Amino acid sequence: MSMSLEEFMKKALVPTPGQRKGQLFANTLQAARPKLMSYLIDEKLDPFYDDRKLWTAVGCVIDNWDSPGFRDE
């Protein structure tokens, strides 16, 4: 079952004890859309280690969520 963009954002942007915001976003994206996460890494937009990249990564995910090239199903 595929996760919608709205479902992903609700899960990826909820504060979670023990994880920084960028770390949670990256981990959630890796589970939901690994190809899109790979793209963020390749483009140096991965927020895992740098929370300052989070909102740029969010925008990229919003722009590309429905792109056929980034679907993993």
Side-chain angles (χ1 to χ4, degrees), residues 9-66:
M9 289 297 179
K10 285 180 180 179
K11 187 173 183 178
L13 297 175
V14 172
T16 302
Q19 285 193 34
R20 289 177 297 92
K21 292 175 183 180
Q23 192 177 16
L24 173 64
F25 186 85
N27 287 340
T28 306
L29 185 58
Q30 179 63 39
R33 293 277 171 96
K35 290 179 185 177
L36 191 46
M37 185 62 207
S38 291
Y39 177 76
L40 291 183
I41 292 168
D42 291 346
E43 295 297 313
K44 308 217 181 328
L45 300 174
D46 175 11
F48 186 88
Y49 293 108
D50 187 350
D51 286 343
R52 294 173 297 177
K53 296 180 180 182
L54 177 62
W55 296 110
T56 303
V58 167
C60 183
V61 167
I62 290 169
D63 290 345
N64 292 290
W65 186 262
D66 289 321

